[in-house]
Amino acid sequence: MGRWGITLPLTGVPVLDHRESVAELADLGYTDVWSAETAGTDAFTPLALAAQWAPTLRLGTAIAPVYTRGPATLAMTAATLAEVSGGRFVLGIGSSSPAIVQRWNGVEFAEPFKRTRDTLRFLKAALAGEKVTREYDTFAVRGFKLERAPERPVPIMLAALRPGMLRLAGREADGAITNWLGADDVPRVREELGRGELAARIFVCPTEDADAARALGRMLISTYLTVPAYAAFHEWLGRGEALRPMNEAWASGDRRGAGALVPDEVVDQLVVHGSVDECRAHVARYAANGVDTPVIALLPTGADQRDLVRALAPGV
């Protein structure tokens, strides 16, 4: 097994209560800690803490939206985290979603591909210590230069779901971060990415109560996969017909009914569940199919999430 990541913070565990768990991750076989940013913790603070608690783990954002921080602020934050982690930081950026960007942060969600591409190009120059004065398609920067540029290059990865962004990640970034895909979808995504690292956040629900796991999975799938970018992603992956009833119910306002229309086979493809041994083996299939860095996103089961992190470790 190569890389093996975990998403932090864990559900229901206060940020500062992660210290003991983070400190033992490397001994358990984990190589990476990745953060998420929606409406809970920000993407950077948990990683800054983890950098002090675990001296060897790689740390990554999955992802920091390109709209909700100005380009210079994003560069400064990345440079700081690279410094406090001793160069173990990977900056994952992406367009995020209209709800997070526009409804919650009051920023127009316009031209997401171009905004992500422009931010990537700016960050590559800024984090290399260059003074940037440039008119990009979606913003302009005049005379910005980091006072404390990173001593070593900061890898930048793009959140990517479909061919255009995957190809951009392969051409200009250090890799791609993807989400909500099944193990058998990996070869198609890998083919479009080409070169570069492929990381995948994998939703894992370690319980042998299949009905409970599927009920949670249906709720999450109906919430996420009705977002236009994810709907298009699964249309491209071939799940368009299977998910059409869900999408139609959601569009009509029947949010509760939408979840009930997600087929079992789709849930089983996109949410890993079963015993901890079965879950660990299923995650390993993603790696076998071409994911360089599988990143477990642990779903709540009622068990102590810190115990489940230990049980799901590759070294167990």
Side-chain angles (χ1 to χ4, degrees):
M1 181 58 64
R3 308 206 74 87
W4 192 268
I6 189 75
T7 302
L8 296 182
L10 301 170
T11 302
V13 181
V15 174
L16 292 177
D17 289 353
H18 283 72
R19 182 170 190 157
E20 181 180 341
S21 296
V22 171
E24 68 180 2
L25 288 176
D27 289 339
L28 292 169
Y30 289 94
T31 61
D32 287 57
V33 166
W34 291 77
S35 61
E37 184 172 283
T38 50
T41 59
D42 72 280
F44 295 96
T45 305
L47 299 184
L49 291 167
Q52 310 311 302
W53 298 337
T56 62
L57 294 175
R58 190 174 67 155
L59 314 163
T61 54
I63 48 90
V66 297
Y67 292 95
T68 54
R69 296 172 182 84
T73 300
L74 191 53
M76 288 186 289
T77 308
T80 303
L81 197 39
E83 179 178 334
V84 302
S85 67
R88 293 177 286 129
F89 175 59
V90 179
L91 176 61
I93 59 171
S95 62
S96 190
S97 70
I100 292 172
V101 172
Q102 193 158 310
R103 285 168 44 196
W104 299 353
N105 283 284
V107 179
E108 184 183 7
F109 188 81
E111 299 188 286
F113 177 87
K114 288 184 177 180
R115 178 70 181 224
T116 303
R117 180 202 63 197
D118 293 348
T119 304
L120 168 65
R121 291 174 178 174
F122 163 77
L123 288 168
K124 288 172 68 175
L127 291 171
E130 298 177 20
K131 185 175 183 178
V132 182
T133 296
R134 183 170 174 180
E135 295 275 347
Y136 298 92
D137 285 348
T138 57
F139 59 85
V141 176
R142 295 178 180 84
F144 176 76
K145 188 177 191 304
L146 280 169
E147 293 180 5
R148 298 172 65 86
E151 294 182 356
R152 285 176 277 178
V154 176
I156 305 173
M157 296 174 66
L158 300 185
L161 298 176
R162 288 182 289 160
M165 197 72 82
L166 286 164
R167 292 170 189 162
L168 175 66
R171 288 194 310 269
E172 300 191 31
D174 294 285
I177 303 164
T178 193
N179 199 8
W180 282 114
L181 79 166
D184 293 335
D185 299 324
V186 173
R188 187 168 191 184
V189 172
R190 178 86 255 181
E191 182 180 9
E192 294 295 340
L193 173 63
R195 60 165 290 277
E197 180 179 354
L198 178 61
R201 172 162 285 124
I202 302 163
F203 293 94
V204 179
C205 187
T207 175
E208 296 184 61
D209 185 342
D211 289 341
R214 287 174 179 152
L216 178 57
R218 285 190 179 91
M219 183 273 289
L220 293 171
I221 288 169
S222 64
T223 301
Y224 279 88
L225 270 54
T226 49
V227 173
Y230 282 109
F233 179 45
H234 284 274
E235 186 78 35
W236 175 62
L237 291 174
R239 293 193 183 89
E241 284 304 314
L243 293 173
R244 195 171 310 283
M246 175 198 75
N247 282 308
E248 290 175 350
W250 188 274
S252 73
D254 184 7
R255 303 299 169 85
R256 180 173 297 179
L261 295 171
V262 181
D264 282 354
E265 58 267 26
V266 172
V267 180
D268 295 345
Q269 289 163 3
L270 302 181
V271 176
V272 174
H273 60 92
S275 69
V276 289
D277 289 339
E278 290 169 334
C279 288
R280 195 185 311 108
H282 193 158
V283 173
R285 282 184 54 217
Y286 284 81
N289 287 351
V291 169
D292 299 297
T293 307
V295 182
I296 293 170
L298 192 56
L299 298 178
T301 64
D304 189 311
Q305 291 220 318
R306 290 163 289 197
D307 291 339
L308 292 175
V309 168
R310 296 184 187 101
L312 289 166
V316 173

